[in-house]
Amino acid sequence: MNIKTLTLLLFIFASTLLNAQVLRSPDLYYGRYEGNIDENIPVTANIMRAFGQVTGSYHVTPSDLTESESMSRKKVLSGQISGDSVSMKEFGRKSEVIEGSLSSTQMNGYWMLSANQPKAFSLEASYPIGSLPFEVSYLRSELNLAPEKADSPTASIELTLVYPENNNLNEGVFDSISHHINSGFFGEGVTPSHPDSLLLNYEREYYENYKKQNQQWLETGGHSFSWEKVISMNISYNSNHLLCLEFERYAYSGGAHGMSNIAYQLINLHDGSLLKFEDIFIHGSDSILTSLLTRQLKEDRSIPIDSTLKSGGFFVDSIVPNHNIFLEQSGIGFTYNPYEIAPYSFGSTTLFLNFNQLIGILKPSTPVFILANSLN
């Protein structure tokens, strides 16, 4: 490396550090909300606001007033917000589901549980025993590999990190949850630190790697790609002493397309321990789960029960349980990322089994077993 190139690299890196900023804002928050639709239909929602965008999920408690037990399934939401005025759609539906107002302390407005039947709703931010409040940190930056060149490739990074608020949380439990988040977001071996420092260090290492991998382009003007990385977190479940965290990643560093990945952590809030597959299901349950998951996929994709999954475009004819599991109020889901059981064009495949399907294969006395039995 010549002196000119080294000087350029140091200048770019220094500029990145000077301009880097982790944002916290009244327009950046997570809320766990509880209340009622139409005054008598209980609903719980986990909502994340990132400036003008909102994402999240909700579930209603089955009752004589709801359509069926399937209403208790988590429904995914996304939409826009301006000021406090929010409009959200449910995944798979074209029209708005929620029209109203949203703040860090409350949600209210009109909710379309079914087509053309708006019902008034009112929810308040609520963190009962067995749930946690979180704060959100956000970082986004961009760097030109060689700012003096018009055709310079570019790298960008966007990070959305949620961290528990250490209000009334036992220090050991807080440290354990923080460790799990660090490993899930940044990778194993990360030294504990303030969330802002962790994000800035990750950004710095990302740009260092980008410049290192594209050293030849800087020196000779050869071929190079722009890079993009996005890592975000969502709270999938936050009740009954169980916390389910979702980590969504997207990365592009050249080629036909980028790669996306969704992963989950399920945490026991009694002690901060990570609940893994073998902590939830009894030994030897794989064959039962394989049968349940295979049947569920055929049902979801309208594949005849006597046809093969391969005839529907999948790589396999039976779905073996992976350990990428998430929790909902009414059951457990399994997410298979692109290329795991199907081509990239299929995207991720999510299969959900309600607790009634899992009778007999959940480990007794675990928090998940207790949740499942509390619904009966």
Side-chain angles (χ1 to χ4, degrees), residues 191-204:
T191 302
S193 184
H194 189 276
D196 292 8
S197 298
L198 292 169
L199 290 174
L200 291 170
N201 287 338
Y202 191 87
E203 177 200 44
R204 173 180 54 79

PDB file of all heavy atoms in Angstrom, residues 191-204:
ATOM      1  N   THR A 191     -17.521  -7.793  23.759  1.00  0.00           N
ATOM      2  CA  THR A 191     -17.271  -7.289  25.106  1.00  0.00           C
ATOM      3  C   THR A 191     -18.439  -6.418  25.551  1.00  0.00           C
ATOM      4  O   THR A 191     -18.856  -5.518  24.818  1.00  0.00           O
ATOM      5  CB  THR A 191     -15.983  -6.459  25.146  1.00  0.00           C
ATOM      6  OG1 THR A 191     -14.889  -7.266  24.698  1.00  0.00           O
ATOM      7  CG2 THR A 191     -15.699  -5.957  26.555  1.00  0.00           C
ATOM      8  N   PRO A 192     -19.018  -6.670  26.729  1.00  0.00           N
ATOM      9  CA  PRO A 192     -20.152  -5.864  27.198  1.00  0.00           C
ATOM     10  C   PRO A 192     -19.795  -4.381  27.240  1.00  0.00           C
ATOM     11  O   PRO A 192     -18.698  -3.993  27.639  1.00  0.00           O
ATOM     12  CB  PRO A 192     -20.402  -6.411  28.606  1.00  0.00           C
ATOM     13  CG  PRO A 192     -19.843  -7.788  28.596  1.00  0.00           C
ATOM     14  CD  PRO A 192     -18.656  -7.730  27.680  1.00  0.00           C
ATOM     15  N   SER A 193     -20.730  -3.562  26.800  1.00  0.00           N
ATOM     16  CA  SER A 193     -20.501  -2.131  26.752  1.00  0.00           C
ATOM     17  C   SER A 193     -21.846  -1.436  26.631  1.00  0.00           C
ATOM     18  O   SER A 193     -22.899  -2.080  26.525  1.00  0.00           O
ATOM     19  CB  SER A 193     -19.596  -1.776  25.563  1.00  0.00           C
ATOM     20  OG  SER A 193     -19.297  -0.393  25.547  1.00  0.00           O
ATOM     21  N   HIS A 194     -21.829  -0.109  26.618  1.00  0.00           N
ATOM     22  CA  HIS A 194     -23.052   0.659  26.399  1.00  0.00           C
ATOM     23  C   HIS A 194     -23.555   0.394  24.984  1.00  0.00           C
ATOM     24  O   HIS A 194     -22.746   0.261  24.052  1.00  0.00           O
ATOM     25  CB  HIS A 194     -22.763   2.155  26.593  1.00  0.00           C
ATOM     26  CG  HIS A 194     -23.981   3.003  26.605  1.00  0.00           C
ATOM     27  ND1 HIS A 194     -24.580   3.452  25.440  1.00  0.00           N
ATOM     28  CD2 HIS A 194     -24.732   3.469  27.629  1.00  0.00           C
ATOM     29  CE1 HIS A 194     -25.648   4.183  25.756  1.00  0.00           C
ATOM     30  NE2 HIS A 194     -25.758   4.205  27.075  1.00  0.00           N
ATOM     31  N   PRO A 195     -24.879   0.307  24.767  1.00  0.00           N
ATOM     32  CA  PRO A 195     -25.393   0.029  23.426  1.00  0.00           C
ATOM     33  C   PRO A 195     -24.852   0.958  22.344  1.00  0.00           C
ATOM     34  O   PRO A 195     -24.562   0.511  21.226  1.00  0.00           O
ATOM     35  CB  PRO A 195     -26.909   0.195  23.597  1.00  0.00           C
ATOM     36  CG  PRO A 195     -27.162  -0.131  25.024  1.00  0.00           C
ATOM     37  CD  PRO A 195     -25.959   0.350  25.766  1.00  0.00           C
ATOM     38  N   ASP A 196     -24.683   2.235  22.660  1.00  0.00           N
ATOM     39  CA  ASP A 196     -24.157   3.177  21.661  1.00  0.00           C
ATOM     40  C   ASP A 196     -22.753   2.785  21.229  1.00  0.00           C
ATOM     41  O   ASP A 196     -22.420   2.805  20.035  1.00  0.00           O
ATOM     42  CB  ASP A 196     -24.144   4.600  22.215  1.00  0.00           C
ATOM     43  CG  ASP A 196     -25.540   5.169  22.415  1.00  0.00           C
ATOM     44  OD1 ASP A 196     -26.509   4.403  22.262  1.00  0.00           O
ATOM     45  OD2 ASP A 196     -25.665   6.363  22.731  1.00  0.00           O
ATOM     46  N   SER A 197     -21.925   2.429  22.193  1.00  0.00           N
ATOM     47  CA  SER A 197     -20.549   2.036  21.867  1.00  0.00           C
ATOM     48  C   SER A 197     -20.525   0.766  21.036  1.00  0.00           C
ATOM     49  O   SER A 197     -19.725   0.637  20.103  1.00  0.00           O
ATOM     50  CB  SER A 197     -19.745   1.829  23.158  1.00  0.00           C
ATOM     51  OG  SER A 197     -19.655   3.020  23.901  1.00  0.00           O
ATOM     52  N   LEU A 198     -21.416  -0.166  21.350  1.00  0.00           N
ATOM     53  CA  LEU A 198     -21.476  -1.407  20.580  1.00  0.00           C
ATOM     54  C   LEU A 198     -21.841  -1.131  19.124  1.00  0.00           C
ATOM     55  O   LEU A 198     -21.250  -1.702  18.202  1.00  0.00           O
ATOM     56  CB  LEU A 198     -22.497  -2.358  21.208  1.00  0.00           C
ATOM     57  CG  LEU A 198     -22.139  -2.931  22.576  1.00  0.00           C
ATOM     58  CD1 LEU A 198     -23.343  -3.641  23.194  1.00  0.00           C
ATOM     59  CD2 LEU A 198     -20.949  -3.884  22.473  1.00  0.00           C
ATOM     60  N   LEU A 199     -22.806  -0.254  18.903  1.00  0.00           N
ATOM     61  CA  LEU A 199     -23.207   0.076  17.542  1.00  0.00           C
ATOM     62  C   LEU A 199     -22.087   0.783  16.788  1.00  0.00           C
ATOM     63  O   LEU A 199     -21.809   0.482  15.618  1.00  0.00           O
ATOM     64  CB  LEU A 199     -24.462   0.952  17.562  1.00  0.00           C
ATOM     65  CG  LEU A 199     -25.753   0.271  18.010  1.00  0.00           C
ATOM     66  CD1 LEU A 199     -26.875   1.297  18.115  1.00  0.00           C
ATOM     67  CD2 LEU A 199     -26.149  -0.846  17.065  1.00  0.00           C
ATOM     68  N   LEU A 200     -21.420   1.726  17.425  1.00  0.00           N
ATOM     69  CA  LEU A 200     -20.331   2.466  16.773  1.00  0.00           C
ATOM     70  C   LEU A 200     -19.149   1.545  16.460  1.00  0.00           C
ATOM     71  O   LEU A 200     -18.526   1.666  15.401  1.00  0.00           O
ATOM     72  CB  LEU A 200     -19.886   3.631  17.654  1.00  0.00           C
ATOM     73  CG  LEU A 200     -20.902   4.774  17.783  1.00  0.00           C
ATOM     74  CD1 LEU A 200     -20.468   5.753  18.868  1.00  0.00           C
ATOM     75  CD2 LEU A 200     -21.073   5.495  16.450  1.00  0.00           C
ATOM     76  N   ASN A 201     -18.832   0.643  17.369  1.00  0.00           N
ATOM     77  CA  ASN A 201     -17.743  -0.298  17.107  1.00  0.00           C
ATOM     78  C   ASN A 201     -18.087  -1.227  15.949  1.00  0.00           C
ATOM     79  O   ASN A 201     -17.229  -1.538  15.110  1.00  0.00           O
ATOM     80  CB  ASN A 201     -17.452  -1.137  18.362  1.00  0.00           C
ATOM     81  CG  ASN A 201     -16.755  -0.343  19.445  1.00  0.00           C
ATOM     82  OD1 ASN A 201     -16.128   0.684  19.166  1.00  0.00           O
ATOM     83  ND2 ASN A 201     -16.871  -0.795  20.681  1.00  0.00           N
ATOM     84  N   TYR A 202     -19.331  -1.670  15.877  1.00  0.00           N
ATOM     85  CA  TYR A 202     -19.758  -2.552  14.794  1.00  0.00           C
ATOM     86  C   TYR A 202     -19.682  -1.822  13.456  1.00  0.00           C
ATOM     87  O   TYR A 202     -19.224  -2.372  12.451  1.00  0.00           O
ATOM     88  CB  TYR A 202     -21.179  -3.046  15.053  1.00  0.00           C
ATOM     89  CG  TYR A 202     -21.615  -4.163  14.129  1.00  0.00           C
ATOM     90  CD1 TYR A 202     -21.335  -5.493  14.446  1.00  0.00           C
ATOM     91  CD2 TYR A 202     -22.289  -3.895  12.947  1.00  0.00           C
ATOM     92  CE1 TYR A 202     -21.726  -6.522  13.611  1.00  0.00           C
ATOM     93  CE2 TYR A 202     -22.688  -4.919  12.101  1.00  0.00           C
ATOM     94  CZ  TYR A 202     -22.408  -6.230  12.434  1.00  0.00           C
ATOM     95  OH  TYR A 202     -22.790  -7.245  11.596  1.00  0.00           O
ATOM     96  N   GLU A 203     -20.125  -0.570  13.457  1.00  0.00           N
ATOM     97  CA  GLU A 203     -20.042   0.244  12.235  1.00  0.00           C
ATOM     98  C   GLU A 203     -18.589   0.406  11.786  1.00  0.00           C
ATOM     99  O   GLU A 203     -18.275   0.250  10.597  1.00  0.00           O
ATOM    100  CB  GLU A 203     -20.661   1.611  12.493  1.00  0.00           C
ATOM    101  CG  GLU A 203     -20.568   2.570  11.305  1.00  0.00           C
ATOM    102  CD  GLU A 203     -20.723   4.011  11.728  1.00  0.00           C
ATOM    103  OE1 GLU A 203     -20.108   4.400  12.748  1.00  0.00           O
ATOM    104  OE2 GLU A 203     -21.435   4.762  11.040  1.00  0.00           O
ATOM    105  N   ARG A 204     -17.704   0.689  12.730  1.00  0.00           N
ATOM    106  CA  ARG A 204     -16.298   0.886  12.395  1.00  0.00           C
ATOM    107  C   ARG A 204     -15.696  -0.388  11.789  1.00  0.00           C
ATOM    108  O   ARG A 204     -15.010  -0.331  10.760  1.00  0.00           O
ATOM    109  CB  ARG A 204     -15.516   1.282  13.659  1.00  0.00           C
ATOM    110  CG  ARG A 204     -14.009   1.361  13.465  1.00  0.00           C
ATOM    111  CD  ARG A 204     -13.313   1.767  14.753  1.00  0.00           C
ATOM    112  NE  ARG A 204     -13.659   0.908  15.867  1.00  0.00           N
ATOM    113  CZ  ARG A 204     -13.139  -0.287  16.086  1.00  0.00           C
ATOM    114  NH1 ARG A 204     -12.232  -0.780  15.240  1.00  0.00           N
ATOM    115  NH2 ARG A 204     -13.494  -1.006  17.135  1.00  0.00           N
TER     116      ARG A 204
END
